[in-house]
Amino acid sequence: MSPAGETGTSATPPRANASNQGGSKIESSPYSRGASVISENISLVGVQVKKARPWIQRDIEQAKQCKADAMLQALLQRASCASETKQPELLQMCLKGVLLVCNGQVLNGMVAKIFWGEAGCTSEPKILDKVEEIAKVHPTVEGHIPELLWHHAFTNPACTIREALGVLEPSMDSRVLYILVFRKLYPITKLHGKDLFDVWHQCILCHLTLWKEGVHHRDISPGNLMWYRKGRRLIGILNDYDLSSLANAVGPQGNGRTGTVPFMALDLLTKISQQGKVKHSYRHDLESFMWGFAWIFLRYRQGILLPQRLRPLDEWATSDAIACRVEKSAFLMDFIDYLPLDLETSGSDIDWSLWTLIVECLQVLQALISNRIDRLLLVQWRSRQGAYEQILNAEETVSDMDDLLGKFTGTEAWVELANTLSL
C-alpha cells in the first residue's frame, strides 16, 4: 500500500505481489479502477467488445482522474440485467452505502476498500476471520486489528475479462474484485513524538503474535500502520491483509514476492528473490518495520509531509526492486548523514530520542545483515550445493522470533522510550 498521505508524490511506491513470469522487474499491483469498469459486465450486457472499446478507454481515463465513484456505479449497475428499481439488494447497498466513501468521503466513520485480489489465494475476509479468532485470546491483538463491517466478492475473475477482450494468456492473471467496508482509521504518518513510537510498537507486538499464530502479514509499510483514539490512549492497528497468507493453508503457498518495494527487506529485493527462491520470513517483516519508521521520521514533521526539496528518500519510491536495494544499502551505510537539520535547533528531547532509536535499530540491522552475508559467502566459497538457499530460507522458531525482536527492543533508546509510555 502507498505510504499514507503521500498520494500527491510524483510516484506511488510499487507493490510487489505479482507472480514471476521470468522478468526481472517487480511490477506494481494492477489496482486500476479503470480496469474495474471493464469487469463483470462485458459478458452480461450483450455488447460486442469492439463496440465497448471507446467506453473502456473513457473509463481508464477517468481512473487517472480518480473518478472512482462514477465508475463503480457503472460497474454495479451493469452487473445486473434488471432495471435499476429491480436491482438486487446487494447493488442497492453498494450504491447507497459504499459509493459515498469510494472517493475519499466518509459515511458514519466508514471507508471502502476496492481491489482485485488473486483468485487462488486466501481472501482478505477469510484471513480476517482467523485474525479475529486470535484476537479473542491474545491481548496484543485484541483491539489492534481492523473492524470489517461488510464485504462482497464478485464472481467473474479478471481472466474472463481478458479473454473477452482478446488479451493473450488470460489465465496467467486470475483476479477477483472485492469490496470491503471498514471502520475509519487514521494513518501513523499523522503522529509524531512519543505517540508515533507507541503506535508503531503496538503494531509490532500485534504482528509478532499473529505471525506466531500462523497469520503472515507480508506487507509492512507506513500505509498499513493505523490508529484510533480510545479515551486518552491511541490504539495501534495493523491494517491491510490482502497480501497475507495463512501458515496452515491447504495447497502450495509458494514464495511469491509480496510487499511495498521501498519498505521490503533487502533480501527480498534481490534477483534470486524475484525468481521465487526466497521464502518470506518473520525477519523480513520486522526489517520492514525499521525501514518504515525511518521513512516516517525523516519525511514528516508534526504529522505533515515535508516539501520535496526538504525530504529525503524519494528515490526509494521511484525505483524498481534492484535499484531500491542499492539505494537502501547505501542509506544503511551512511544513515548518520541523514540527521535532520532542524533537529539540532528544535531542542526536542523526544525527537532526539526517536533519532537515537533509529540509529541504534539500523546498527542492529547492519550487524544482522553483515552476519548473514558472512555465512552466505562462506557457503559460496565451499561450493555447497543447496546450502545457500537453505540459509536464506531457514525455518524460524518462536524462540528465533523473540530473540530477533529482542535485539531491537533491548537497545538503550528503545528501553528508554518504552519506559516513558508507562509514565
Side-chain angles (χ1 to χ4, degrees):
M1 176 173 285
S2 308
E6 298 199 38
T7 54
T9 54
S10 58
T12 300
R15 293 181 80 177
N17 65 323
S19 58
N20 183 40
Q21 304 297 341
S24 61
K25 182 180 179 181
I26 290 183
E27 300 291 341
S28 61
S29 179
Y31 287 168
S32 167
R33 288 187 174 90
S36 303
V37 185
I38 304 172
S39 71
E40 318 272 330
N41 35 58
I42 289 296
S43 62
L44 295 176
V45 298
V47 178
Q48 293 183 356
V49 171
K50 64 180 181 180
K51 294 182 179 179
R53 286 190 185 279
W55 176 70
I56 294 170
Q57 182 60 41
R58 179 205 67 191
D59 291 324
I60 292 175
E61 292 301 319
Q62 285 184 333
K64 296 177 182 177
Q65 302 173 34
C66 299
K67 295 182 179 178
D69 50 356
M71 288 188 293
L72 180 61
Q73 183 167 352
L75 165 66
L76 296 172
Q77 288 175 336
R78 289 176 174 79
S80 171
C81 295
S83 63
E84 183 176 352
T85 57
K86 296 183 179 180
Q87 286 177 353
E89 181 181 355
L90 165 65
L91 298 187
Q92 293 291 348
M93 289 175 62
C94 288
L95 293 174
K96 293 181 179 180
V98 179
L99 288 178
L100 295 177
V101 295
C102 290
N103 209 19
Q105 301 179 50
V106 178
L107 178 65
N108 296 328
M110 297 186 294
V111 293
K113 175 180 178 180
I114 306 168
F115 69 101
W116 291 91
E118 292 283 355
C121 296
T122 307
S123 70
E124 184 169 6
K126 288 185 178 180
I127 289 176
L128 286 173
D129 285 342
K130 175 64 176 177
V131 169
E132 289 174 0
E133 291 179 10
I134 298 171
K136 294 177 182 178
V137 294
H138 290 280
T140 53
V141 178
E142 184 181 12
H144 298 283
I145 57 176
E147 182 181 357
L148 180 60
L149 302 174
W150 178 85
H151 66 89
H152 182 75
F154 289 85
T155 55
N156 287 349
C159 60
T160 60
I161 302 166
R162 287 171 172 261
E163 187 174 6
L165 295 173
V167 178
L168 296 177
E169 301 179 288
S171 62
M172 292 178 63
D173 184 20
S174 183
R175 294 174 178 268
V176 174
L177 179 64
Y178 290 93
I179 300 178
L180 287 70
V181 179
F182 295 94
R183 290 288 183 198
K184 181 186 177 182
L185 299 169
Y186 301 94
I188 194 173
T189 51
K190 294 294 185 182
L191 301 177
H192 59 92
K194 186 169 67 174
D195 287 339
L196 171 60
F197 172 76
D198 187 14
V199 165
W200 179 70
H201 188 196
Q202 292 176 50
C203 290
I204 289 176
L205 297 180
C206 174
H207 172 271
L208 173 63
T209 302
L210 289 177
W211 197 286
K212 290 178 179 179
E213 295 297 322
V215 177
H216 301 167
H217 191 281
R218 306 193 306 169
D219 186 21
I220 299 301
S221 70
N224 293 338
L225 307 180
M226 312 291 284
W227 59 276
Y228 67 94
R229 187 176 295 277
K230 184 177 181 180
R232 299 179 61 183
R233 177 132 191 245
L234 302 186
I235 306 299
I237 299 290
L238 183 61
N239 199 36
D240 202 351
Y241 293 79
D242 59 327
L243 297 185
S244 302
S245 65
L246 299 179
N248 61 352
V250 178
Q253 295 296 297
N255 294 332
R257 306 177 306 244
T258 59
T260 304
V261 171
F263 315 108
M264 289 171 67
L266 295 181
D267 280 353
L268 299 180
L269 298 176
T270 62
K271 291 182 179 179
I272 189 172
S273 174
Q274 293 177 65
Q275 296 167 0
K277 297 180 180 179
V278 178
K279 180 182 179 181
H280 198 127
S281 302
Y282 170 75
R283 64 180 174 85
H284 296 137
D285 270 14
L286 185 57
E287 183 177 329
S288 293
F289 273 108
M290 305 307 153
W291 293 120
F293 194 80
W295 173 279
I296 297 169
F297 183 81
L298 293 174
R299 294 170 60 83
Y300 290 80
R301 285 296 173 271
Q302 305 298 312
I304 299 175
L305 181 65
L306 290 170
Q308 188 170 12
R309 61 184 177 81
L310 297 178
R311 65 175 185 257
L313 313 182
D314 268 354
E315 59 275 9
W316 293 11
T318 57
S319 304
D320 62 17
I322 301 301
C324 187
R325 186 176 192 273
V326 172
E327 294 288 349
K328 290 168 67 176
S329 297
F331 170 83
L332 192 59
M333 295 300 295
D334 300 310
F335 58 82
I336 292 296
D337 295 340
Y338 287 80
L339 173 68
L341 296 178
D342 63 331
L343 196 59
E344 297 182 357
T345 59
S346 69
S348 170
D349 291 339
I350 186 64
D351 284 345
W352 273 108
S353 296
L354 293 180
W355 171 249
T356 304
L357 173 69
I358 291 172
V359 169
E360 293 183 0
C361 285
L362 291 179
Q363 288 174 333
V364 171
L365 190 57
Q366 277 182 337
L368 292 170
I369 292 174
S370 178
N371 290 338
R372 190 157 56 251
I373 290 176
D374 288 344
R375 293 173 61 197
L376 293 172
L377 289 175
L378 181 62
V379 166
Q380 287 182 326
W381 179 70
R382 293 178 176 176
S383 300
R384 292 177 58 189
Q385 186 176 7
Y388 185 89
E389 292 181 15
Q390 287 179 5
I391 292 177
L392 287 176
N393 298 322
E395 291 294 329
E396 295 174 319
T397 65
V398 169
S399 178
D400 291 334
M401 298 177 203
D402 289 333
D403 290 345
L404 180 60
L405 180 55
K407 294 182 185 301
F408 294 95
T409 60
T411 60
E412 289 186 19
W414 196 306
V415 172
E416 290 180 4
L417 281 165
N419 287 338
T420 66
L421 300 180
S422 59
L423 297 179

